[in-house]
Amino acid sequence: MPTNKIVIITGASRGIGAATAKLFAQKGYAVCINFLTDEIAAKQLKNEILQFNVKCITVKADVSKACEVQRLFDTVDQELGCLSVLVNNVGILKKQCRLDEIDEQRFSQVLTTNVMSCFLCSKQAVKRMSSKYGGKGGAIINVSSGAAKSGSPNEYIDYAASKGAIDSLTKGLALEVANEAIRVNAVRP
């Protein structure tokens, strides 16, 4: 039987994502752990979450690709039910360096992973949550960074730029869907 509280957490197999998954499970949410490479960590986390007597699934998906995001959300629809919370946590950070040492491939990968994933997952969540589409509302939480404000000079300007984009996406989407029963916020750990 599907629960009324269901969360998808992208990049949830470790770090902030794993801690967030455990917290949602403690609060009684069914949890979807999204991961890309570390299946062992995802399965270990699932076993920990199941101890809270909630449903938990793991779904391997590259959330920077639309077809894989669609499959992720369809899997949650089928196995858990109606989504109530999305946590856009996935993100990559590369080796510290100056902007003039960052190549085009790295910059593109950081933006695609950190920003496109947030866009694609948020789009699928809105289609499910929005009262405009018959949804019951929900919440989208985007994980940003203090780097969005500092710019991370001499460290991660590419990462900072991606998190600045997350801040802009969050603000715009929050205003766009506020009247459709969806709350959109960002956190800056």
Side-chain angles (χ1 to χ4, degrees):
M1 183 160 117
T3 179
N4 290 333
K5 301 187 304 186
I6 298 167
V7 61
I8 295 173
I9 304 167
T10 65
S13 64
R14 60 187 178 85
I16 292 170
T20 303
K22 290 176 197 174
L23 182 61
F24 271 98
Q26 289 172 358
K27 300 291 183 183
Y29 281 75
V31 178
C32 173
I33 300 165
N34 162 251
F35 71 98
L36 180 58
T37 57
D38 198 345
E39 186 170 5
I40 292 170
K43 286 183 177 182
Q44 288 174 339
L45 178 60
K46 178 181 178 180
N47 289 335
E48 290 179 46
I49 286 174
L50 290 174
Q51 294 176 14
F52 294 106
N53 295 317
V54 296
K55 284 187 166 186
C56 182
I57 62 172
T58 60
V59 180
K60 180 178 180 172
D62 181 343
V63 291
S64 69
K65 296 181 179 170
C67 62
E68 294 195 33
V69 170
Q70 181 71 53
R71 181 178 50 77
L72 166 66
F73 278 76
D74 288 347
T75 301
V76 170
D77 292 343
Q78 293 166 6
E79 295 187 26
L80 297 178
C82 184
L83 179 68
S84 42
V85 178
L86 166 66
V87 179
N88 284 308
N89 171 68
V90 75
I92 59 170
L93 180 69
K94 300 288 190 171
K95 181 183 170 197
Q96 288 185 339
C97 67
R98 290 170 36 100
L99 178 119
D100 53 3
E101 297 168 343
I102 296 172
D103 63 26
E104 181 181 342
Q105 181 182 1
R106 170 183 158 158
F107 197 87
S108 180
Q109 183 185 21
V110 168
L111 288 178
T112 299
T113 300
N114 297 359
V115 182
M116 185 60 75
S117 63
C118 183
F119 161 72
L120 292 171
C121 290
S122 294
K123 182 177 178 179
Q124 288 297 323
V126 167
K127 287 182 177 183
R128 286 159 173 79
M129 296 175 180
S130 173
S131 59
K132 176 181 174 180
Y133 299 109
K136 297 176 184 171
I140 298 172
I141 303 152
N142 299 324
V143 178
S144 182
S145 169
K149 291 237 181 225
S150 73
S152 288
N154 300 305
E155 292 183 319
Y156 318 105
I157 288 178
D158 50 352
Y159 177 79
S162 75
K163 294 304 182 172
I166 295 298
D167 287 358
S168 294
L169 190 153
T170 300
K171 176 144 184 150
L173 184 58
L175 295 170
E176 197 167 271
V177 297
N179 291 329
E180 298 170 22
I182 302 173
R183 185 180 68 254
V184 184
N185 297 99
V187 294
R188 285 196 191 114

